[in-house]
Amino acid sequence: MRNHTKDLLTLLISLFVLGGCTNPSGIGLDVDPDDQITGDIIDSLTLQAVTLLDDSTRSSSFSQTAFGWFDDPAIGKTVADLALAIGKPSSGSAPRIRPDAEIDSVILVLPFGREYFGDTVNTTFPLQVRQLKDVYTDGTYSTKQWSVEEEVIGTKTVPRFAYKLSDSVQVRKYIDGKDSTIKDIPQLRISLSAEFFRSLFSNTVDSATLSTEAGFNNHVKGLYVSVDESAMSGIGGIVTFQGVSGTTGIELTYRQPNGKEGDDAGIDTVRTFLPTTVTASDGYNTTTYRRLTSSIRRTYTADVQAQLENPEGNFEKLYLQAPAGLRTRLRIPYIDKLKGRNIAVNKAELVLYLDEAEGVEWDIPAPRLTLYREDIAGQRQPVPDGDSRTNGTNFVGDGRSIFYRSGGNWRAFGGAIDRDKRRYVFHLTSYIQDLLLGKINSNEFFIAPAALSDDRTVPYYPVLNTGSRAILRNGEAVGAKMQLNIYYTQVGD
């Protein structure tokens, strides 16, 4: 067999709204004429792009989950409320508050996660807490809309979410028989109604009701935290909360007579922690149940809605939104033209440019995107280059994964924003090679926001651990069109 090599022939697959290129000489890579190698520039392959709704998912799948109110002028409004459990104290006994008790404090403690996306200057958040009407159930989807009581049992106006690691707080804890002030992790602390909890845990409540786990849960239901939309101004933002055993929950402190007479009479100070997040162990493994659930609802702008109503269209502007909001599908309809040509892909990269967001005063793009595909059954799968799957201990994904070969560095695969060039780049060499060899049969893939703080994975599932978004360009101007650049070697005729 006679073999010959055409070194580094460059294929630029340009994304056009209307299809094929009318100016082949105007596309491709910038190459020094002295260094240029004669080759083929194939511009008949186009990519089609459209914005789609992302799937719903569960907060229980993440170490942190979204909360907030974000009125994005280009995409629309996102409201992310938070439902949470109230658990029995570790002692197993529920509080029993007598009518003559003095309640010193009832504090809901929610440790912040590591993500915030939104306005950091002109927004304050008026927060409200209510009781759930139904018993909190863990593992529900983020689209669930919870029924809540009308009575507001806690409020707080937050000038900003102090979520950064440097935003540690000083809190009073009862340690070794005395009150001490200690430094603790960044957290939101909301004072709750003393009278509500006096009634909830009154000593007149049937003790049998509170003695079992099911009875206790049915009695207390759970709590619901939301932003008071009527008092919001500005565009707001989305933060994340995390479930931390021993911290996430309610700190209840009250004083009441000890019930004794004479010299033995006195006042007992009762300090009780009602946990939201709990851990369980089977002797071999310990499992954390965070018991925090985001409840999300949205309204979209007319431009976004137009794409959602035309999923087979091809658009010049693409919208990506978390948590679990919008994703973009990119389709390569004519990839078959490159098959059967004995092509060895040396390098393939996808370049995505940010939109200029004209007429919008606020525009901060997502710091990170992710990319994945779906198999022919519509099930989400990682692309080979960005495969980060493990069995909990060991890597079990594709051995060609750039993530794996770089020691677990998602940036090597791509998706980090280049703020100077206002773009994102993904490396897709093995994915394109598998498409050409027929090992992967679907010619479409997806991009969506990902949490910058989640540096251990390349997610290929909808996420609730960030509230970021991005708007991408798909025009015909230089620096505005998405590009899939393929460098390949062709062996044989």
Side-chain angles (χ1 to χ4, degrees), residues 104-137:
D104 293 330
S105 63
V106 187
I107 306 295
L108 172 62
V109 183
L110 295 171
F112 286 109
R114 296 168 55 194
E115 296 275 331
Y116 176 77
F117 191 86
D119 192 348
T120 59
V121 179
N122 299 314
T123 295
T124 54
F125 296 88
L127 308 183
Q128 297 179 329
V129 182
R130 293 177 171 85
Q131 184 186 28
L132 293 174
K133 282 188 175 181
D134 302 315
V135 177
Y136 174 85
T137 304

Side-chain angles (χ1 to χ4, degrees), residues 320 350-354 365-371 409-427 447-455 457-459 468-470 472:
L320 296 81
L350 175 71
V351 183
L352 308 170
Y353 290 96
L354 285 163
R368 179 190 177 189
L369 303 181
T370 191
L371 183 150
N409 180 10
W410 64 264
R411 288 176 174 82
F413 166 59
I417 189 172
D418 183 333
R419 297 189 183 277
D420 293 334
K421 296 181 179 179
R422 290 183 59 81
R423 71 179 190 177
Y424 306 87
V425 177
F426 288 95
H427 302 285
I447 49 177
L452 188 64
S453 60
D454 181 15
D455 56 5
T457 62
V458 177
S468 62
R469 55 66 132 178
L472 304 179

